[in-house]
Amino acid sequence: MRRVKKRLSVNAARISAGAMLLASAAVAVALPAGAAAAGCSVNYAVSSQWQGGFGANVTITNLGDPVTSWTLTWSYSAGQRVAEAWNTTLTQNGAAVTARNVSYNGSIPTNGSTSFGFNGSWSGSNPAPTSFALNGVTCTGGTAPTAEPTTGPTTGPTNPPPTGPADITVNTATRYQTIDGFGAATPIWGGTWSTAETQTLVGLGANQLGLSIVRTGISPVSGEWSTQVNALRTAKSAGSGVKILASPWTAPAAWKTNNSRTNGGKLRTDYYDDYANHLNSYVQYMRNQGVTIDVTSVQNEPDWHPDYDSMDWSGTELRNFVRDHGARVQNTRLMVAEAVNLNYTYTDPTLNDATARNNIGYIGGHLYGTEASGRLRSYPLAEQHNKPVWMTEWNLHEADGNGSNIWGNPGNQAVWNETLDDIMRTVHRSMESNWSAYIWWYGKRYYSFIGDGEAAFGTTAGAPLKRGYAFSQYAKYVRPGYQRVALAKSTKAAPLEVTAYSGGGKTTLVILNRSTSAVNNAVIQVPQNITRAEHYLTSQSVNAASQPVSVNGGQVSVNVGARSISTVVLTP
């Protein structure tokens, strides 16, 4: 469903009770003379809307005395219901909604403002509230309506038409790696994603994150394989071109030298054929459940032997296994070796053996220590033999320090700094390194893409988190099959970290601005004239918010906010 953007007056007579879509509505309140001490102005904007649901942002501006603790109330006239919220505590009783400030918001000084947001549900219509009260004092009045484009913002008043030299020049004739996708893992031990959670993670709609790879575990106990069937089947049907990567942590204990699932131990050579049959049985089982396993790893972290499920391999042993037994695993492509820091000693032997090399489709590795070891770069031997490199796991959440309850607050600076400066930066670096995929650890966790509801960390189970919105700037718009293409930057654009992609008949750019200054009126030049331009931005204060774009032939002008990640999608 196309989302419609309009600016509507709060005058009830102008609100159609049968309106099916409302993309933004504003209420600005003016007080009568002599009432300035109790004055306030409220801007209520529906930032996105989809069938049955919407997201809203609310800004309160104080026109009277400083407010140290605030409560904002309003009523819905069409049965809307509020859901998860950020930067406020939100409750609803019938039609009446109450928003209270939280400690980190602080006070509202005279002529100062504070903002919060929430998601909600609607049916039939979604008119804006007609009045608000701040600390029990009613704000009355309204603004005249102003119309905005109903087909999405391709131009905006803050961007002059682009002219002159470009700041980012895209060269679609020079092409690099083909993108396989961006993803995250299901729970490896116990549990799974619900249908709704899976749809949020892989879907392409509003407040969905667009993951295109789902990583799952291969239990050594075949009776446990059914746990993830529904989530994997949903991912395949609810997403677009979603690939499944299956990774084993260990073989059955009886096949190993230490007779244990844990603490490493090697696979006995006389069980190599049984292990190949085990992997094949998993792939065929899932296939019979309607789930294609696109990629099957031989081993998760063969260079790590912790006190949980694990198994040791050397690079030579991995080569021998895939050379002599890899062909037994059918209807999938094998991957080696998912080493902790993409240690080449675990993959070079396979790549250097023609038979072993022909039995694999992918090279995998994790990001733990990879950058420090100098391997967050292209892998020439893999490229020589046309084996795509996938980054298949990384997990970082040091921002919480001693476990403080910060993850449910999307405006938390420590969380945003870690997301932008560590995680999004390494996604960018991985793309520049010609890697074809980037897969985060668990998709559902308090520090990940959707919340898990763990009370100590303040997230709502299944609700998108700030980190998820940031990652979606890649995942949702750079789709499987796109190719990274070359670009050049001007001095003005030097602070920006940019990658560009060609695919789906579009040119897509992902732009990181980790500097503390905005780069305004940045001109992007592409080879063809542009008929449609979209710009979405995530920062500490907004989530995948649509931004104005100005178009002139093959150039567009965008404002790249400080400390942000944004995506520009250009359609000729």
Side-chain angles (χ1 to χ4, degrees):
M1 178 182 294
R2 174 175 291 180
R3 290 176 289 160
V4 181
K5 300 198 71 173
K6 291 183 180 179
R7 182 72 61 183
L8 299 183
S9 166
V10 299
N11 186 332
R14 295 182 182 269
I15 300 174
S16 169
M20 291 300 296
L21 288 178
L22 170 66
S24 70
V27 179
V29 273
L31 288 155
C40 65
S41 172
V42 177
N43 182 284
Y44 176 101
V46 174
S47 56
S48 60
Q49 180 167 283
W50 57 101
Q51 187 62 44
F54 69 99
N57 295 312
V58 180
T59 300
I60 308 168
T61 301
N62 176 37
L63 305 177
D65 295 332
V67 178
T68 57
S69 180
W70 56 262
T71 298
L72 187 74
T73 57
W74 70 88
S75 292
Y76 280 123
S77 62
Q80 301 99 314
R81 303 294 302 179
V82 299
E84 62 270 11
W86 47 94
N87 291 344
T88 188
T89 300
L90 202 64
T91 58
Q92 184 169 358
N93 183 7
V97 180
T98 301
R100 294 182 175 88
N101 72 319
V102 287
S103 59
Y104 50 78
N105 281 339
S107 62
I108 314 177
T110 301
N111 294 322
S113 63
T114 190
S115 298
F116 63 89
F118 60 92
N119 290 327
S121 61
W122 65 284
S123 61
S125 63
N126 188 15
T130 56
S131 66
F132 294 86
L134 179 65
N135 290 349
V137 178
T138 301
C139 303
T140 59
T143 59
T146 57
E148 292 185 1
T150 60
T151 58
T154 57
T155 63
T158 60
N159 293 77
T163 58
D167 298 302
I168 302 170
T169 303
V170 178
N171 176 10
T172 55
T174 300
R175 301 194 170 218
Y176 303 107
Q177 79 272 30
T178 298
I179 303 302
D180 288 315
F182 303 86
T186 66
I188 302 301
W189 297 279
T192 188
W193 299 335
S194 70
T195 297
E197 290 165 348
T198 307
Q199 291 169 339
T200 296
L201 286 162
V202 306
L204 296 174
N207 289 323
Q208 295 180 328
L209 305 181
L211 303 187
S212 49
I213 298 177
V214 173
R215 185 181 184 224
T216 192
I218 303 176
S219 171
V221 179
S222 60
E224 298 176 356
W225 292 349
S226 62
T227 302
Q228 300 294 343
V229 166
N230 183 66
L232 300 181
R233 188 189 293 133
T234 301
K236 284 285 192 178
S237 62
S240 175
V242 172
K243 294 181 174 64
I244 307 296
L245 163 64
S247 300
W249 264 245
T250 183
W255 301 354
K256 296 170 61 182
T257 56
N258 67 349
N259 199 36
S260 171
R261 285 174 54 160
T262 65
N263 297 300
K266 290 185 177 293
L267 179 65
R268 290 168 45 183
T269 56
D270 53 327
Y271 280 99
Y272 274 24
D273 56 346
D274 294 287
Y275 187 59
N277 290 334
H278 170 73
L279 298 180
N280 184 62
S281 294
Y282 172 85
V283 173
Q284 306 320 316
Y285 168 82
M286 285 295 179
R287 194 163 178 247
N288 290 334
Q289 303 302 312
V291 178
T292 299
I293 303 298
D294 302 274
V295 184
T296 302
S297 174
V298 174
Q299 177 63 47
N300 170 74
E301 297 183 346
D303 49 344
W304 183 243
H305 42 85
D307 59 358
Y308 50 82
D309 287 356
S310 50
M311 190 160 68
D312 293 339
W313 299 75
S314 69
T316 300
E317 290 164 343
L318 287 164
R319 177 202 64 194
N320 293 346
F321 176 80
V322 298
R323 181 191 64 199
D324 301 334
H325 304 274
R328 292 175 179 264
V329 189
Q330 298 288 304
N331 306 117
T332 189
R333 298 305 308 273
L334 290 180
M335 170 184 283
V336 291
E338 293 199 90
V340 168
N341 54 25
L342 192 59
N343 190 328
Y344 299 156
T345 63
Y346 288 85
T347 49
D348 279 359
T350 295
L351 288 170
N352 284 321
D353 183 290
T355 303
R357 183 173 67 240
N358 289 338
N359 283 343
I360 69 165
Y362 298 88
I363 295 296
H366 295 175
L367 206 56
Y368 307 106
T370 301
E371 187 169 18
S373 67
R375 287 189 288 274
L376 183 45
R377 57 179 176 83
S378 62
Y379 187 1
L381 188 60
E383 292 179 0
Q384 176 187 336
H385 295 295
N386 297 313
K387 302 299 179 184
V389 176
W390 284 19
M391 198 298 288
T392 59
E393 183 185 312
W394 197 38
N395 175 15
L396 179 72
H397 56 100
E398 296 178 354
D400 53 8
N402 295 321
S404 57
N405 184 356
I406 63 175
W407 297 96
N409 169 22
N412 183 272
Q413 185 170 354
V415 170
W416 179 242
N417 289 346
E418 184 178 90
T419 296
L420 189 67
D421 295 328
D422 293 309
I423 296 156
M424 295 303 106
R425 179 185 60 81
T426 58
V427 180
H428 170 79
R429 288 284 310 281
S430 297
M431 294 299 101
E432 284 198 325
S433 297
N434 288 331
W435 298 358
S436 294
Y438 188 110
I439 305 170
W440 178 250
W441 181 227
Y442 280 179
K444 178 186 177 183
R445 200 69 173 98
Y446 63 87
Y447 52 74
S448 289
F449 298 160
I450 61 174
D452 59 9
E454 189 170 335
F457 299 101
T459 66
T460 300
L465 298 173
K466 176 67 70 175
R467 189 158 289 181
Y469 282 113
F471 195 77
S472 76
Q473 300 278 171
Y474 283 98
K476 198 169 184 176
Y477 304 104
V478 182
R479 303 304 299 168
Y482 285 22
Q483 279 190 284
R484 187 170 70 89
V485 297
L487 59 85
K489 296 188 300 182
S490 70
T491 301
K492 176 180 175 180
L496 307 178
E497 297 165 284
V498 189
T499 49
Y501 308 85
S502 181
K506 304 172 183 179
T507 299
T508 302
L509 297 91
V510 184
I511 305 172
L512 274 70
N513 183 9
R514 296 191 295 118
S515 76
T516 56
S517 299
V519 178
N520 291 324
N521 299 323
V523 176
I524 301 170
Q525 175 76 57
V526 296
Q528 305 118 322
N529 284 346
I530 299 160
T531 61
R532 178 175 173 82
E534 304 159 81
H535 180 200
Y536 306 97
L537 180 142
T538 296
S539 68
Q540 189 176 338
S541 60
V542 298
N543 298 324
S546 181
Q547 305 293 301
V549 186
S550 183
V551 180
N552 182 9
Q555 291 188 334
V556 299
S557 175
V558 297
N559 293 336
V560 183
R563 304 289 298 157
S564 71
I565 176 171
S566 59
T567 309
V568 179
V569 182
L570 306 176
T571 304

